[in-house]
Amino acid sequence: MNNGETSTSMVKKYRPLAVAAGIGSILGSGIIVGLSATITVWQNGLGLTNSQVGIISGALTFAIAIGSLLAGQITKSFGLVKSFNWLNLIYAIGALICVFSNNYIMLLIGVIITGLASGADLPISLTVVSHDAPDDKTSASLVSSTQIFWQIGVFMSYVCAFIVSKMAGASGARIVFSILAIFALITWAWRTFSTKFRAFHEEGEQRRIDREAASQTTEKVSIKTVFAGANKGCFMAFFFSILIFYVCWNLLANTFGQFQTFTLVQAHASQSFATGAGIVLNFISLLATMAFASVAGGKYRNKFFLVGITVQFLAMLGLAMSSHSLWPIVITIGCYNIGNNIAGEAMYKVWTQEAFPVEVRASVQGFINGFSRVCCGLFALITPALVVPSAIRNTMFGFAAIVFISFVAGLTMMRLEKKHGINNF
């Protein structure tokens, strides 16, 4: 990199790659929210039973988890770049199967294929971005920015589902899945045939080879050499700090997302107000994610994290101690959405890309993603018992405790990064 090329110019140069990876995040959140928002439409249009609806929803959760767990093996078998290029085509095939499905089995198959591709794409996409980025600061900025696209995918899916909600039969749901398939096909073509991306990949691989030669390392980097080698203590500490942080954060985010509307309705909000508030709160989440992305590669990152996780903790205590008055609850949930996105998944993504060698990043992040989703799927089995009015107060105190555990894990990770010279924040 020339001295005249600032970090900002590097981020601008590699921004298209982050966008291409970020669209994968749109597709990831899009399939989750898209199915959730249209599942009753599918049920009415295809005549599905309640148990079949439950199986389809559960199948998507576990397909995404399995896809994440297999990400490392996929890159090992087909190569990092080839996996990055072609997974969206598989996603599109699954989405199109859903579009043309006329029965339960066909819809289930389409959902599983789409979920597997989506689950594998996220860790692989982030690994490609960090592999191709010319330096750690640029990588942190680009990786954290992909979380913005996740929020955009959530927002777009809700809006699309609302627009088509009045259509007869399963037509509305087919349109939503058609949009997802079109996005996937465009992304596949862009990733695969872009000469600029091909140059980024080649330059990134050459930098990796040069670093390996400079370090005079002859042993091939693998999961075994990382977690059973000379620096195993360091990498194990990184791994468990990140794992505990992300599982705690995801349990809270996943479960809280399921009864945000319920909480507002219990505070005597109308269904339309609760739904409208959900869209506004999602927009607040997007702004918070953008704010974090702007500092992810700089000295204020850790300060943002500490503020964000403190806001989350206070929001949970506020909800536990608040009355059933509507506006205090709305304000508290808004504060939670800010804290949740400043000290949340974007931070987890950056930590994972910084802490591990590029050769194992997809495997490590894939495992953490998959394990976390399995935990969330199992935790969802007891969610109904947590959201009844008589239990919500204790649930929020429990959530505050979970936030505190994630804070301790996050603080540990920050100290480990400083100790091992990963950054100077």
Side-chain angles (χ1 to χ4, degrees), residues 14 41 53 76 83 104 122 129-130 181 232 240 302 327 388 391:
Y14 284 83
V41 178
V53 167
K76 184 177 179 181
S83 302
Y104 161 69
L122 179 61
V129 172
S130 62
K232 64 179 180 181
F240 282 107
N302 290 346
W327 283 107
V388 295

Side-chain angles (χ1 to χ4, degrees), residues 64-122:
I64 293 173
I66 293 169
S68 296
L69 292 170
L70 293 176
Q73 187 60 44
I74 291 171
T75 59
K76 184 177 179 181
S77 300
F78 300 101
L80 179 63
V81 172
K82 188 175 290 186
S83 302
F84 174 71
N85 290 345
W86 287 87
L87 273 170
N88 285 125
L89 180 60
I90 298 173
Y91 181 107
I93 292 171
L96 288 173
I97 290 174
C98 294
V99 170
F100 295 105
S101 63
N102 54 15
N103 56 58
Y104 161 69
I105 295 297
M106 194 171 176
L107 179 62
L108 179 63
I109 292 172
V111 165
I112 290 173
I113 292 173
T114 309
L116 288 170
S118 174
D121 181 70
L122 179 61

Side-chain angles (χ1 to χ4, degrees), residues 16-47:
L17 181 64
V19 173
I23 295 176
S25 293
I26 290 180
L27 296 171
S29 60
I31 186 61
I32 294 171
V33 178
L35 181 65
S36 174
T38 62
I39 192 63
T40 54
V41 178
W42 284 116
Q43 182 177 25
N44 295 331
L46 300 183

Side-chain angles (χ1 to χ4, degrees), residues 255-256 259 262-263 266 316 319-322 324 379 382-400:
T255 308
F256 197 84
F259 65 84
F262 177 88
T263 303
Q266 287 297 309
M316 292 302 100
L319 284 172
M321 295 184 289
S322 66
H324 287 290
F379 196 61
I382 64 171
T383 298
L386 298 176
V387 301
V388 295
S390 60
I392 281 185
R393 180 182 175 87
N394 290 333
T395 297
M396 293 304 169
F397 279 123
F399 279 180

Side-chain angles (χ1 to χ4, degrees), residues 103-346:
N103 56 58
Y104 161 69
I105 295 297
M106 194 171 176
L107 179 62
L108 179 63
I109 292 172
V111 165
I112 290 173
I113 292 173
T114 309
L116 288 170
S118 174
D121 181 70
L122 179 61
I124 290 173
S125 294
L126 296 181
T127 301
V128 168
V129 172
S130 62
H131 170 272
D132 291 358
D135 57 73
D136 291 340
K137 190 172 183 179
T138 302
S139 174
S141 180
L142 294 174
V143 167
S144 63
S145 72
T146 63
Q147 186 64 21
I148 297 172
F149 293 91
W150 183 275
Q151 293 297 138
I152 292 173
V154 173
F155 185 78
M156 286 177 55
S157 296
Y158 273 125
V159 171
C160 290
F162 177 78
I163 292 173
V164 303
S165 61
K166 300 298 182 181
M167 292 185 177
S171 299
R174 297 185 198 279
I175 290 175
V176 171
F177 277 72
S178 295
I179 293 172
L180 292 174
I182 291 170
F183 265 89
L185 287 171
I186 292 172
T187 309
W188 162 72
W190 190 19
R191 291 182 181 183
T192 303
F193 301 110
S194 170
T195 55
K196 178 183 288 189
F197 292 169
R198 189 175 299 118
F200 286 164
H201 301 328
E202 291 171 355
E203 291 167 6
E205 181 62 16
Q206 187 59 52
R207 281 191 291 269
R208 185 193 68 79
I209 294 171
D210 292 343
R211 285 195 299 268
E212 192 175 86
S215 64
Q216 297 181 342
T217 301
T218 57
E219 187 177 22
K220 187 176 181 180
V221 178
S222 65
I223 290 291
K224 183 178 179 180
T225 61
V226 168
F227 289 107
N231 295 317
K232 64 179 180 181
C234 167
F235 288 120
M236 291 295 284
F238 284 149
F239 176 78
F240 282 107
S241 296
I242 295 172
L243 178 69
I244 292 170
F245 168 77
Y246 187 60
V247 169
C248 288
W249 177 87
N250 215 8
L251 285 176
L252 183 64
N254 188 70
T255 308
F256 197 84
Q258 292 182 30
F259 65 84
Q260 177 173 289
T261 299
F262 177 88
T263 303
L264 293 173
V265 171
Q266 287 297 309
H268 308 295
S270 66
Q271 184 67 33
S272 59
F273 178 90
T275 304
I279 295 176
V280 173
L281 292 170
N282 183 261
F283 185 70
I284 291 173
S285 299
L286 177 61
L287 294 178
T289 303
M290 292 173 68
F292 176 80
S294 69
V295 301
K299 61 183 179 180
Y300 296 112
R301 184 178 84 187
N302 290 346
K303 293 181 176 65
F304 263 63
F305 174 84
L306 293 174
V307 170
I309 205 148
T310 301
V311 170
Q312 288 183 64
F313 182 76
L314 294 177
M316 292 302 100
L317 290 182
L319 284 172
M321 295 184 289
S322 66
S323 64
H324 287 290
S325 299
L326 177 59
W327 283 107
I329 292 177
V330 172
I331 293 170
T332 306
I333 292 176
C335 290
Y336 164 76
N337 276 270
I338 293 172
N340 174 264
N341 286 279
I342 291 176
E345 188 155 11

Side-chain angles (χ1 to χ4, degrees), residues 57-68:
S57 298
L60 177 62
T61 298
F62 285 102
I64 293 173
I66 293 169
S68 296

Side-chain angles (χ1 to χ4, degrees), residues 136 301-302 351 354 414 417-425:
D136 291 340
R301 184 178 84 187
N302 290 346
W351 277 339
E354 287 181 341
M414 288 190 290
E417 285 202 316
K418 187 174 183 179
K419 176 182 177 181
H420 295 286
I422 290 180
N423 62 52
N424 297 314
F425 303 152

